[in-house]
Amino acid sequence: MGDIAVETSGVSKRFRLYHERNQSLKAAFMRGRRAKFEEFWALQDIDLQIPAGKTFGLIGHNGSGKSTLLKCLAGILVPDRGSIGVHGRVSALLELGAGFHPELSGRDNVYLNGSILGMSRKQIDRQFDEIVDFAGLETFIDTPVKNYSSGMYVRLGFSVAINVDPEILMVDEVLAVGDESFQRKCMEKFADFRAQGRTVIIVSHALGTMRSMCDEVAWLDHGKLQGVGRPSDLVDEYVGASHEDRTQAPGDSTSSGGSRWGSQEITLDGAELLCDGRVTSQVSTGADVTFRLRWTAPEPVAEPVFGMAIYSLEGVHVTGPNSQDVGLSTGTVHGSGHVDVHVPTLMLTPGTYQVTAAVLDSTGTHAFDHRDRMFRFDVTAGHPRDRYGVVSLGGSWDVAVDRAPVT
Ligand SMILES: Nc1ncnc2c1ncn2[C@@H]1O[C@H](COP(=O)(O)OP(=O)(O)OP(=O)(O)O)[C@@H](O)[C@H]1O
Ligand SMILES: [Mg+2]
């Protein structure tokens, strides 16, 4: 294999959207050639070079063309324009249940699917136990797959796809359907593949995962390539752009993130992250940081409650401290000022996080100003070096021998 696993040049794909609901055969004949449809380009002029041995991600909004592109790369769809070069044996898991026959058992489908992916019966015999074991479906393997849950479908499909010894693995959204433990297994498998120098092309909306897993990502927007580059840069740009789409409501030019509400007796005019006395958007695990919320109160307000929350990009609510819970009396505030939340050791694992801030009345129930997803920041690797999940517990490790081997 050369340096490039897959390359596309000017790839465009057109679909036809038919407007008439009743597509009966008779009606179609009667209408003759005058069928009413509209053409629309699901992909336009895609030029991509996917390096061999790397994990490459495709991101973009629903309907942006990710699955269509992946199907073109896998040879399931033929582009209307442009060319595609694929250098290596491909295995693809593209659609939920694609290649499965609902009436057949899991066992028969493994054989069916394996042969579609180019395995001989003998090869499948050899791999069968491993396939079933990876999918964790031993007890259901003789049940017709029409009775499988969507998670079970994906597990079996993925398990077959990775066991055909591909040089290039293409996967569309498996991470979204499997449960936690299966997702972890998939991630380990992707890491193995990468270590073995195989190419993985993956489509996912799990942006944090894409960020940490991919060497490079491509961002599609309405069928056009918006950019290709480092996942940290591109995922942020993509998230930023999706936010802008959502906050183009008039009257809130200051908002950089999500929605805002409240009666405005006090307003939060800004929020930022400080490290070493400087405003920053990138810190490392273990850093000494301060979250600063800047407020304005045109009239005096007694005992407001300030709060903030941190979310991962996938929407996990990581933490939500507030001044009331820590027993802080804020007194009467008037004029403008700021509130600092000092965190001596930031125990977040590498990834991108979003900060929501709010100021509430003294009971903590009525919002004066609630600002969803005000800003984002990145956490890069630091100390502790934990990589998984969203927080590090900073534990210390110790290995002990309780009994010496009998010699
Ligand atoms: N077979 C088809 N016939 C007509 N239109 C199609 C067909 N397949 C896809 N499309 C359209 O092409 C566009 C791109 O679809 P695609 O499935 O590639 O998007 P996607 O980026 O994978 O979205 P999602 O994140 O929802 O999976 C959509 O507007 C979709 O409706
Ligand atoms: Mg899709």
Side-chain angles (χ1 to χ4, degrees):
M1 249 193 284
D3 291 335
I4 300 296
V6 178
E7 57 197 320
T8 74
S9 164
V11 165
S12 301
K13 179 70 195 170
R14 177 180 52 198
F15 287 122
R16 285 177 174 179
L17 300 173
Y18 290 87
H19 293 308
E20 259 148 279
R21 281 170 182 269
N22 291 321
Q23 289 280 330
S24 75
L25 208 50
K26 185 178 170 200
F29 276 123
M30 303 281 286
R31 220 188 303 106
R33 297 190 129 260
R34 287 170 293 123
K36 274 193 196 156
F37 60 80
E38 212 179 283
E39 286 185 340
F40 121 95
W41 291 92
L43 290 176
Q44 287 181 66
D45 249 343
I46 306 291
D47 292 322
L48 266 187
Q49 296 204 315
I50 301 180
K54 302 284 184 201
T55 301
F56 192 93
L58 293 175
I59 59 173
H61 60 83
N62 293 133
S64 57
K66 304 179 296 297
S67 300
T68 304
L69 179 58
L70 208 60
K71 282 179 198 161
C72 289
L73 301 184
I76 310 272
L77 287 177
V78 180
D80 294 281
R81 291 187 194 147
S83 63
I84 297 179
V86 175
H87 314 287
R89 204 169 46 251
V90 173
S91 170
L93 179 62
L94 295 174
E95 258 166 326
L96 200 58
F100 279 150
H101 191 298
E103 300 294 335
L104 297 178
S105 67
R107 181 184 302 275
D108 293 340
N109 270 297
V110 168
Y111 281 90
L112 179 64
N113 222 250
S115 64
I116 292 173
L117 289 171
M119 283 168 102
S120 68
R121 190 169 181 98
K122 260 208 182 115
Q123 274 174 310
I124 305 173
D125 283 340
R126 246 181 288 132
Q127 305 277 81
F128 188 80
D129 289 344
E130 205 175 318
I131 292 173
V132 177
D133 180 56
F134 187 89
L137 288 171
E138 292 83 352
T139 39
F140 297 96
I141 201 63
D142 290 308
T143 308
V145 300
K146 67 178 178 196
N147 298 329
Y148 279 17
S149 69
S150 50
M152 288 158 77
Y153 257 104
V154 161
R155 282 150 70 144
L156 197 59
F158 186 73
S159 194
V160 176
I162 57 171
N163 274 291
V164 303
D165 191 32
E167 287 160 323
I168 304 169
L169 177 69
M170 301 183 184
V171 186
D172 197 342
E173 280 296 355
V174 274
L175 296 163
V177 190
D179 60 22
E180 184 69 36
S181 79
F182 186 73
Q183 281 183 22
R184 198 162 350 102
K185 269 165 79 175
C186 292
M187 298 299 295
E188 283 163 11
K189 206 70 202 178
F190 288 138
D192 285 353
F193 267 46
R194 187 197 210 167
Q196 292 158 358
R198 302 178 199 232
T199 310
V200 177
I201 306 174
I202 180 165
V203 171
S204 180
H205 290 283
L207 296 175
T209 307
M210 294 294 266
R211 225 169 174 290
S212 57
M213 201 175 93
C214 296
D215 297 299
E216 215 179 316
V217 298
W219 167 18
L220 284 175
D221 186 275
H222 296 97
K224 293 192 179 136
L225 199 56
Q226 194 76 13
V228 183
R230 290 201 325 191
S232 49
D233 300 338
L234 230 65
V235 167
D236 276 8
E237 234 181 284
Y238 167 58
V239 172
S242 334
H243 277 155
E244 276 158 30
D245 283 353
R246 267 194 281 140
T247 50
Q248 274 179 0
D252 185 14
S253 57
T254 58
S255 173
S256 60
S259 53
R260 180 176 191 174
W261 67 86
S263 54
Q264 308 256 306
E265 283 84 346
I266 307 182
T267 53
L268 292 174
D269 311 309
E272 57 227 7
L273 178 62
L274 298 145
C275 187
D276 293 329
R278 283 183 308 112
V279 173
T280 180
S281 63
Q282 186 173 325
V283 295
S284 54
T285 305
D288 180 327
V289 300
T290 298
F291 293 91
R292 176 164 292 176
L293 312 178
R294 283 183 278 106
W295 54 264
T296 301
E299 302 292 330
V301 177
E303 293 294 339
V305 173
F306 292 92
M308 60 170 278
I310 298 178
Y311 293 88
S312 72
L313 275 193
E314 284 83 15
V316 174
H317 185 175
V318 181
T319 180
N322 67 66
S323 60
Q324 190 176 45
D325 289 350
V326 296
L328 177 77
S329 164
T330 52
T332 296
V333 301
H334 192 193
S336 64
H338 64 263
V339 177
D340 280 349
V341 183
H342 176 221
V343 181
T345 314
L346 186 73
M347 296 300 261
L348 295 173
T349 57
T352 302
Y353 298 88
Q354 293 176 302
V355 176
T356 291
V359 53
L360 310 164
D361 72 346
S362 59
T363 65
T365 51
H366 171 78
F368 291 137
D369 196 6
H370 179 112
R371 298 192 58 177
D372 197 34
R373 313 295 204 265
M374 267 182 103
F375 72 95
R376 276 178 290 138
F377 64 97
D378 282 322
V379 177
T380 55
H383 297 283
R385 295 209 71 88
D386 297 19
R387 281 184 296 153
Y388 300 110
V390 283
V391 291
S392 168
L393 297 182
S396 59
W397 290 70
D398 190 31
V399 179
V401 176
D402 291 327
R403 197 163 19 141
V406 187
T407 46

